[in-house]
């Protein structure tokens, strides 16, 4: 029996491509994914495609219907709230740990991120502001010095990227978010773990409340 050593890696690439398209909102909730269309678009045979779709179904991102094909489910409202509740606790912890562990280099990176965001607020450049918002959180994850915490938060952050963009698209939210980042930065720079924890938790909670108002 000849085993195709590339089959698994091809399935992985298809899975990661479709997962990213679903999480980013490129493939919207309720969209039907037919094997023929996906096979033609991605340039793959049905074997790795089916494997990828089954993995997405196990993850809860699609629902496989024998008559309709795979239907995009995405992240549901209840799951979204659960993710934010976890983020509130874990992001506060990350900031607290960053406050006592952060290097001078990461302090500069964090400061530069906030100052650049404030610059783009004046330019009303929403796209750059959204990128800098993600960067700010990513720097804190890394500065926490906790690899497991960093990995967990990075994955949660990725899972809700579509919703975060919607939340940040609300009038004045980017400005408020950047001001909250400035306060968090100040707490981390002075090594105040308790304040960094509370400010970050409140920041993520505010983002959740903002998002819930958008989804009403």
């Amino acid at each position: 029996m000849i085993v195709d050593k590339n089959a698994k890696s091809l399935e992985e690439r298809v899975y990661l491509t479709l997962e990213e398209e679903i999480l980013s909102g490129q493939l919207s909730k309720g969209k039907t994914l037919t094997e023929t269309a996906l096979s033609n678009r991605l340039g793959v045979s049905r074997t790795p495609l089916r494997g990828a779709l089954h993995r997405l179904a196990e993850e809860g991102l699609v629902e496989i219907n024998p008559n309709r094909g795979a239907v995009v489910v995405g992240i549901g409202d209840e799951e979204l709230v659960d993710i934010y509740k976890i983020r509130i606790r874990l992001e506060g912890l990350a900031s607290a740990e960053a406050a006592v562990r952060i290097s001078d280099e990461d302090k500069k990176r964090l400061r530069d991120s906030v100052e650049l965001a404030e610059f783009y607020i004046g330019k009303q450049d929403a796209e750059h502001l959204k990128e800098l918002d993600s960067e700010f959180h990513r720097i804190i994850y890394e500065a926490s010095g906790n690899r497991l915490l960093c990995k967990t938060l990075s994955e949660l952050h990725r899972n809700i990227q579509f919703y975060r963009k919607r939340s940040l698209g609300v009038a004045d939210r980017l400005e408020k978010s950047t001001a909250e980042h400035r306060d968090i930065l100040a707490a981390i720079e002075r090594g105040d773990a308790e304040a960094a924890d509370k400010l970050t938790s409140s920041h993520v909670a505010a983002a959740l409340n903002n998002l819930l108002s958008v989804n009403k």
Side-chain angles (χ1 to χ4, degrees):
M1 177 180 177
I2 298 176
V3 178
D4 183 355
K5 295 181 180 179
N6 293 319
K8 192 67 177 179
S9 61
L10 183 56
E11 178 186 309
E12 181 74 10
R13 289 199 296 273
V14 173
Y15 164 75
L16 291 173
T17 297
L18 293 177
E19 182 189 48
E20 177 63 24
E21 290 180 355
I22 292 171
L23 294 176
S24 67
Q26 186 176 337
L27 291 175
S28 58
K29 184 176 181 178
K31 183 174 180 59
T32 299
L33 308 177
T34 64
E35 289 186 3
T36 301
L38 286 175
S39 181
N40 291 335
R41 178 165 72 85
L42 299 176
V44 297
S45 67
R46 296 194 177 190
T47 299
L49 180 59
R50 286 171 181 168
L53 288 173
H54 279 289
R55 288 179 62 183
L56 291 168
E58 290 173 0
E59 195 176 338
L61 293 178
V62 304
E63 184 177 276
I64 297 178
N65 186 314
N67 298 319
R68 293 182 58 197
V71 179
V72 175
V73 176
I75 302 293
D77 291 345
E78 288 186 8
E79 188 176 4
L80 178 66
V81 172
D82 287 340
I83 289 174
Y84 266 88
K85 286 180 178 178
I86 295 170
R87 283 188 65 212
I88 288 170
R89 296 295 184 89
L90 294 188
E91 297 232 14
L93 175 61
S95 286
E97 294 200 3
V100 297
R101 295 182 177 182
I102 193 167
S103 65
D104 288 340
E105 180 182 352
D106 281 339
K107 279 184 183 179
K108 184 179 184 306
R109 290 174 62 206
L110 208 56
R111 195 180 309 117
D112 288 346
S113 173
V114 172
E115 290 176 355
L116 195 55
E118 290 171 342
F119 168 78
Y120 280 117
I121 284 175
K123 298 290 185 181
Q124 292 294 301
D125 190 332
E127 290 308 309
H128 274 104
L129 285 166
K130 290 173 184 177
E131 291 174 9
L132 288 165
D133 180 85
S134 294
E135 181 183 342
F136 179 85
H137 289 277
R138 184 168 55 250
I139 294 169
I140 290 178
Y141 302 163
E142 295 170 359
S144 73
N146 187 323
R147 287 190 298 174
L148 180 57
L149 185 59
C150 181
K151 179 181 178 182
T152 302
L153 281 170
S154 295
E155 185 62 27
L156 290 173
H157 197 275
R158 178 171 175 267
N159 285 347
I160 56 172
Q161 57 183 291
F162 170 68
Y163 295 96
R164 289 188 68 256
K165 288 180 180 178
R166 285 191 64 189
S167 174
L168 291 170
V170 174
D172 297 331
R173 180 55 201 162
L174 281 167
E175 288 85 346
K176 290 177 182 177
S177 179
T178 301
E180 290 163 8
H181 285 180
R182 170 63 75 177
D183 291 338
I184 294 167
L185 168 63
I188 290 175
E189 285 190 314
R190 65 177 183 266
D192 191 337
E194 183 177 354
D197 187 338
K198 288 180 179 178
L199 287 166
T200 303
S201 297
S202 296
H203 171 66
V204 179
L208 172 58
N209 290 334
N210 186 68
L211 182 57
L212 292 176
S213 69
V214 174
N215 284 348
K216 284 182 179 179

